[in-house]
Amino acid sequence: MSLFLQAFLVALAVTIAFIDAHTTQTHIFRPIFIGPLVGAIMGDFNTGLQVGVTVELMFLAVIFVGTAVPPNPTISTAIATAVAILGGGGTDLAVATALPVSFIGQIAETVQNSVINVWFMHRAEHAIEILDTRGLVMNNIVFTMAMNALLYGVPTFLAVYFGADFVAGIIKAIPDKIITGLSVGGNMVGAVGFALLLSSIKNHTMWPFLFLGFFFAAYLQINMVGIALLAVVFAALYYYFKLADEGKE
């Protein structure tokens, strides 16, 4: 298989993965899936699997908080896997490549969510007002999905086709102020996300449970599995105490 075809297939896989991330959420965009898939395309499934597992562990606890956009693991896994296979550096080269590339994905996704999708959303709203079904479908589905190919598929193709030097050049071309700004902005937006979580809980009597979970995670360093188990316990206790109160009445 030629390098051009390999680069095209990897770019296509990344585009489909991002479409899945924004729509069906079957989680084929996770590194554990993208790594082996890219490895199979590049002719080295084992390296792809190793890179996928390694990057998955790196991004395992990275989640959206409010409107914050974290570094993107999908495009970083695809490019890191391809670069590792082409460069023969294995997982060490992949790990060294994955994190910087994830910031490129973060920038693209931030622009997509905060600018491009908002513009298409307004166009879709206008289409609804004038009862334009075709305009609604085009702006709400077709154009937004096509942007995934432009924002993620094209950079992936170029990175795979032109190799590690091309990727390094892109990373170096990104001003430090942009990376720093995204990092600082992401940390600030975390507070907004916390406020959004509070506003979504209509019953204010539930707020203490949210604060309690935050306390356990932030100060006692309990991981997400532990928090989930505590949530089950508290939910059960709340349910039983509520039943007991209703029984007394």
Side-chain angles (χ1 to χ4, degrees):
M1 188 184 300
S2 67
L3 180 59
F4 180 88
L5 182 57
Q6 287 178 327
F8 174 78
L9 291 177
V10 172
L12 180 62
V14 168
T15 301
I16 294 173
F18 272 97
I19 291 175
D20 173 69
H22 298 154
T23 54
T24 52
Q25 286 280 317
T26 61
H27 284 73
I28 63 173
F29 57 88
R30 295 302 305 177
I32 193 66
F33 182 87
I34 291 295
L37 178 60
V38 173
I41 293 173
M42 302 299 296
D44 191 345
F45 180 83
N46 289 334
T47 299
L49 181 60
Q50 292 173 7
V51 173
V53 171
T54 302
V55 179
E56 181 70 46
L57 291 174
M58 290 171 57
F59 289 92
L60 193 60
V62 176
I63 58 174
F64 279 90
V65 178
T67 55
V69 178
N72 188 274
T74 305
I75 191 171
S76 63
T77 303
I79 294 177
T81 302
V83 168
I85 293 173
L86 292 173
T91 55
D92 292 337
L93 178 59
V95 170
T97 306
L99 191 57
V101 172
S102 69
F103 288 113
I104 298 177
Q106 181 186 34
I107 293 172
E109 200 162 11
T110 300
V111 172
Q112 183 181 28
N113 292 344
S114 59
V115 179
I116 298 174
N117 285 351
V118 173
W119 185 69
F120 281 125
M121 181 184 69
H122 289 314
R123 287 173 57 90
E125 290 174 345
H126 177 69
I128 293 173
E129 292 174 356
I130 62 175
L131 302 179
D132 181 6
T133 304
R134 182 178 181 277
L136 175 61
V137 172
M138 295 299 291
N139 286 284
N140 197 43
I141 300 176
V142 178
F143 292 152
T144 51
M145 294 301 99
M147 291 306 302
N148 290 309
L150 180 62
L151 291 173
Y152 311 108
V154 172
T156 301
F157 173 84
L158 295 175
V160 175
Y161 188 73
F162 291 104
D165 292 338
F166 178 79
V167 176
I170 293 178
I171 295 171
K172 290 180 180 178
I174 300 175
D176 293 337
K177 291 182 179 179
I178 293 180
I179 300 297
T180 303
L182 285 172
S183 178
V184 173
N187 292 332
M188 292 175 62
V189 174
V192 178
F194 197 81
L196 288 173
L197 288 175
L198 285 176
S199 65
S200 67
I201 302 176
K202 302 302 181 183
N203 187 351
H204 292 178
T205 60
M206 296 294 177
W207 283 18
F209 293 105
L210 178 62
F211 286 117
L212 195 60
F214 176 78
F215 170 79
F216 281 130
Y219 295 100
L220 300 184
Q221 303 299 317
I222 298 177
N223 60 27
M224 294 301 294
V225 175
I227 296 295
L229 293 175
L230 285 171
V232 172
V233 172
F234 284 126
L237 290 174
Y238 181 84
Y239 175 74
Y240 290 132
F241 285 139
K242 187 175 181 180
L243 283 181
D245 290 339
E246 291 177 353
K248 292 178 181 179
E249 295 176 357

